[in-house]
Amino acid sequence: GAGVSQTPSNKVTEKGKYVELRCDPISGHTALYWYRQSLGQGPEFLIYFQGTGAADDSGLPNDRFFAVRPEGSVSTLKIQRTERGDSAVYLCASSSTTSGGVRGTQYFGPGTRLTVL
Amino acid sequence: QKEVEQNSGPLSVPEGAIASLNCTYSDRGSQSFFWYRQYSGKSPELIMFIYSNGDKEDGRFTAQLNKASQYVSLLIRDSQPSDSATYLCAVSAGGGNKLTFGTGTQLKVEL
């Protein structure tokens, strides 16, 4: 497909468990972003990658959250020792560049709904 | 104070009317402004983007930007029931183009 894909679409886990969420960006997009959206709220920035490196991780809430993009394409968001407050929809977006303008437009994937019991 | 503010609504308009959605932002360094539409249970979908003061039109949609007033709006002409969704205003201040979103305005277009 041509769009951003995310797996799994739904993830239910127990408090204290480890989870991995995967994002496959649009082919050729060098910039990849992770956001988190809680019910009734807008998406909240977590981290973004330019290529393989995390250029800005200022939105990660604490050190239980970590993300990687080892080959500059697919990214994995990792959450350790999950808490009930981590329950949300995790959205991934990609763009051609991180600059402004048309090429900087971000396109979102369908999201992963994480539920921590 | 939230960085991007929107009235949560719901905003109800009759079919065929003009829907006006408003957004204010606090960071004067903001450079790029986006409107996303989000249907219930779905991910945000880009509707419009605007970078310069003034109006930008695309079909039934018009985005308006006033940087002096730190205000951006979206007008939807000839509203249709399929326009019923939450509209998210997003702002980028550069620095990697990460987006700051408002909480969204729920629009209901009634028959």
Side-chain angles (χ1 to χ4, degrees):
Chain A
V4 178
S5 61
Q6 293 186 246
T7 55
S9 55
N10 281 284
K11 177 68 177 180
V12 180
T13 191
E14 294 179 344
K15 181 176 178 294
K17 299 291 188 181
Y18 168 84
V19 296
E20 290 189 350
L21 312 179
R22 174 188 167 109
C23 172
D24 198 344
I26 293 171
S27 178
H29 278 191
T30 58
L32 185 149
Y33 302 78
W34 284 99
Y35 295 85
R36 177 170 72 173
Q37 187 173 24
S38 300
L39 192 64
Q41 302 296 314
E44 175 190 21
F45 170 77
L46 296 177
I47 185 172
Y48 89 88
F49 292 85
Q50 177 58 43
T52 61
D56 184 342
D57 64 357
S58 62
L60 295 178
N62 51 59
D63 62 5
R64 296 187 296 106
F65 289 74
F66 188 72
V68 296
R69 194 186 186 197
E71 298 179 356
S73 179
V74 171
S75 176
T76 304
L77 178 65
K78 308 181 181 192
I79 311 174
Q80 298 177 321
R81 304 184 303 280
T82 52
E83 300 178 355
R84 293 192 179 88
D86 299 335
S87 297
V89 175
Y90 289 80
L91 294 164
C92 177
S94 71
S95 65
S96 295
T97 75
T98 57
S99 60
V102 174
R103 295 181 66 234
T105 299
Q106 296 180 31
Y107 298 92
F108 282 82
T112 293
R113 181 175 299 278
L114 175 65
T115 302
V116 182
L117 301 176
Chain B
Q1 181 185 3
K2 289 184 179 178
E3 296 181 42
V4 179
E5 295 213 36
Q6 295 180 256
N7 188 322
S8 61
L11 172 66
S12 292
V13 299
E15 184 178 7
I18 296 175
S20 178
L21 305 163
N22 305 314
C23 172
T24 59
Y25 60 93
S26 60
D27 186 348
R28 286 196 171 274
S30 299
Q31 299 172 0
S32 305
F33 306 85
F34 303 83
W35 283 100
Y36 283 84
R37 177 176 65 196
Q38 188 171 31
Y39 292 112
S40 181
K42 302 296 185 181
S43 62
E45 171 193 10
L46 182 70
I47 297 297
M48 292 280 294
F49 58 86
I50 186 167
Y51 308 114
S52 303
N53 276 329
D55 294 1
K56 179 182 178 183
E57 185 174 324
D58 184 0
R60 294 187 297 113
F61 300 95
T62 299
Q64 299 174 318
L65 175 61
N66 183 325
K67 290 188 178 180
S69 300
Q70 296 175 245
Y71 177 91
V72 59
S73 66
L74 179 70
L75 300 178
I76 307 175
R77 289 180 298 282
D78 188 24
S79 295
Q80 302 297 309
S82 60
D83 295 326
S84 297
T86 295
Y87 289 79
L88 295 162
C89 173
V91 172
S92 169
N97 209 30
K98 63 185 181 185
L99 298 176
T100 300
F101 285 84
T103 55
T105 297
Q106 185 183 6
L107 173 66
K108 293 185 176 180
V109 181
E110 299 170 332
L111 295 171

